[in-house]
PDB file of all heavy atoms in Angstrom:
ATOM      1  N   VAL A 188      59.930 123.880-170.313  1.00  0.00           N
ATOM      2  CA  VAL A 188      58.640 123.704-170.995  1.00  0.00           C
ATOM      3  C   VAL A 188      57.619 123.092-170.050  1.00  0.00           C
ATOM      4  O   VAL A 188      56.459 123.532-169.981  1.00  0.00           O
ATOM      5  CB  VAL A 188      58.820 122.831-172.250  1.00  0.00           C
ATOM      6  CG1 VAL A 188      57.474 122.452-172.859  1.00  0.00           C
ATOM      7  CG2 VAL A 188      59.687 123.550-173.281  1.00  0.00           C
ATOM      8  N   ASP A 189      58.034 122.083-169.303  1.00  0.00           N
ATOM      9  CA  ASP A 189      57.137 121.401-168.366  1.00  0.00           C
ATOM     10  C   ASP A 189      56.588 122.380-167.330  1.00  0.00           C
ATOM     11  O   ASP A 189      55.393 122.403-167.052  1.00  0.00           O
ATOM     12  CB  ASP A 189      57.898 120.262-167.691  1.00  0.00           C
ATOM     13  CG  ASP A 189      57.038 119.444-166.752  1.00  0.00           C
ATOM     14  OD1 ASP A 189      56.010 118.896-167.194  1.00  0.00           O
ATOM     15  OD2 ASP A 189      57.386 119.363-165.553  1.00  0.00           O
ATOM     16  N   ARG A 190      57.471 123.199-166.759  1.00  0.00           N
ATOM     17  CA  ARG A 190      57.025 124.168-165.752  1.00  0.00           C
ATOM     18  C   ARG A 190      56.071 125.196-166.341  1.00  0.00           C
ATOM     19  O   ARG A 190      55.069 125.553-165.740  1.00  0.00           O
ATOM     20  CB  ARG A 190      58.232 124.894-165.140  1.00  0.00           C
ATOM     21  CG  ARG A 190      59.070 124.067-164.210  1.00  0.00           C
ATOM     22  CD  ARG A 190      59.988 124.952-163.371  1.00  0.00           C
ATOM     23  NE  ARG A 190      60.808 125.846-164.182  1.00  0.00           N
ATOM     24  CZ  ARG A 190      61.988 125.507-164.690  1.00  0.00           C
ATOM     25  NH1 ARG A 190      62.475 124.279-164.484  1.00  0.00           N
ATOM     26  NH2 ARG A 190      62.699 126.381-165.396  1.00  0.00           N
ATOM     27  N   ASN A 191      56.399 125.647-167.530  1.00  0.00           N
ATOM     28  CA  ASN A 191      55.636 126.743-168.111  1.00  0.00           C
ATOM     29  C   ASN A 191      54.373 126.300-168.826  1.00  0.00           C
ATOM     30  O   ASN A 191      53.650 127.143-169.377  1.00  0.00           O
ATOM     31  CB  ASN A 191      56.536 127.551-169.034  1.00  0.00           C
ATOM     32  CG  ASN A 191      57.533 128.377-168.242  1.00  0.00           C
ATOM     33  OD1 ASN A 191      57.135 129.149-167.381  1.00  0.00           O
ATOM     34  ND2 ASN A 191      58.812 128.221-168.497  1.00  0.00           N
ATOM     35  N   THR A 192      54.117 125.016-168.840  1.00  0.00           N
ATOM     36  CA  THR A 192      52.816 124.519-169.293  1.00  0.00           C
ATOM     37  C   THR A 192      52.108 123.780-168.160  1.00  0.00           C
ATOM     38  O   THR A 192      51.200 122.985-168.410  1.00  0.00           O
ATOM     39  CB  THR A 192      52.967 123.588-170.512  1.00  0.00           C
ATOM     40  OG1 THR A 192      53.826 122.498-170.173  1.00  0.00           O
ATOM     41  CG2 THR A 192      53.542 124.329-171.704  1.00  0.00           C
ATOM     42  N   GLU A 193      52.541 124.043-166.928  1.00  0.00           N
ATOM     43  CA  GLU A 193      51.930 123.413-165.750  1.00  0.00           C
ATOM     44  C   GLU A 193      51.900 121.894-165.873  1.00  0.00           C
ATOM     45  O   GLU A 193      50.951 121.237-165.446  1.00  0.00           O
ATOM     46  CB  GLU A 193      50.510 123.946-165.532  1.00  0.00           C
ATOM     47  CG  GLU A 193      50.462 125.409-165.117  1.00  0.00           C
ATOM     48  CD  GLU A 193      51.062 125.636-163.726  1.00  0.00           C
ATOM     49  OE1 GLU A 193      50.818 124.819-162.844  1.00  0.00           O
ATOM     50  OE2 GLU A 193      51.774 126.649-163.555  1.00  0.00           O
ATOM     51  N   GLY A 194      52.930 121.329-166.488  1.00  0.00           N
ATOM     52  CA  GLY A 194      53.053 119.878-166.607  1.00  0.00           C
ATOM     53  C   GLY A 194      52.206 119.268-167.699  1.00  0.00           C
ATOM     54  O   GLY A 194      52.241 118.040-167.888  1.00  0.00           O
ATOM     55  N   LYS A 195      51.465 120.083-168.462  1.00  0.00           N
ATOM     56  CA  LYS A 195      50.587 119.538-169.497  1.00  0.00           C
ATOM     57  C   LYS A 195      51.362 119.127-170.746  1.00  0.00           C
ATOM     58  O   LYS A 195      50.947 118.242-171.490  1.00  0.00           O
ATOM     59  CB  LYS A 195      49.497 120.548-169.859  1.00  0.00           C
ATOM     60  CG  LYS A 195      48.614 120.923-168.674  1.00  0.00           C
ATOM     61  CD  LYS A 195      48.028 119.682-168.005  1.00  0.00           C
ATOM     62  CE  LYS A 195      47.227 120.023-166.772  1.00  0.00           C
ATOM     63  NZ  LYS A 195      46.753 118.811-166.063  1.00  0.00           N
ATOM     64  N   ILE A 196      52.493 119.787-171.012  1.00  0.00           N
ATOM     65  CA  ILE A 196      53.371 119.400-172.113  1.00  0.00           C
ATOM     66  C   ILE A 196      54.763 119.217-171.514  1.00  0.00           C
ATOM     67  O   ILE A 196      55.523 120.179-171.367  1.00  0.00           O
ATOM     68  CB  ILE A 196      53.370 120.455-173.232  1.00  0.00           C
ATOM     69  CG1 ILE A 196      51.951 120.639-173.780  1.00  0.00           C
ATOM     70  CG2 ILE A 196      54.328 120.050-174.357  1.00  0.00           C
ATOM     71  CD1 ILE A 196      51.821 121.722-174.818  1.00  0.00           C
ATOM     72  N   PRO A 197      55.110 118.008-171.110  1.00  0.00           N
ATOM     73  CA  PRO A 197      56.367 117.799-170.383  1.00  0.00           C
ATOM     74  C   PRO A 197      57.619 117.903-171.238  1.00  0.00           C
ATOM     75  O   PRO A 197      58.699 118.173-170.710  1.00  0.00           O
ATOM     76  CB  PRO A 197      56.210 116.394-169.801  1.00  0.00           C
ATOM     77  CG  PRO A 197      55.187 115.727-170.657  1.00  0.00           C
ATOM     78  CD  PRO A 197      54.265 116.799-171.146  1.00  0.00           C
ATOM     79  N   THR A 198      57.528 117.691-172.540  1.00  0.00           N
ATOM     80  CA  THR A 198      58.728 117.744-173.386  1.00  0.00           C
ATOM     81  C   THR A 198      58.394 118.388-174.727  1.00  0.00           C
ATOM     82  O   THR A 198      57.269 118.280-175.222  1.00  0.00           O
ATOM     83  CB  THR A 198      59.313 116.350-173.654  1.00  0.00           C
ATOM     84  OG1 THR A 198      58.384 115.585-174.427  1.00  0.00           O
ATOM     85  CG2 THR A 198      59.624 115.625-172.358  1.00  0.00           C
ATOM     86  N   ILE A 199      59.390 119.030-175.320  1.00  0.00           N
ATOM     87  CA  ILE A 199      59.295 119.511-176.697  1.00  0.00           C
ATOM     88  C   ILE A 199      60.451 118.972-177.536  1.00  0.00           C
ATOM     89  O   ILE A 199      60.344 118.812-178.736  1.00  0.00           O
ATOM     90  CB  ILE A 199      59.254 121.049-176.757  1.00  0.00           C
ATOM     91  CG1 ILE A 199      58.997 121.536-178.186  1.00  0.00           C
ATOM     92  CG2 ILE A 199      60.529 121.669-176.215  1.00  0.00           C
ATOM     93  CD1 ILE A 199      57.678 121.098-178.762  1.00  0.00           C
TER      94      ILE A 199
END
Side-chain angles (χ1 to χ4, degrees):
V188 171
D189 183 58
R190 288 196 306 273
N191 287 305
T192 58
E193 292 293 319
K195 300 306 176 185
I196 301 176
T198 65
I199 186 62

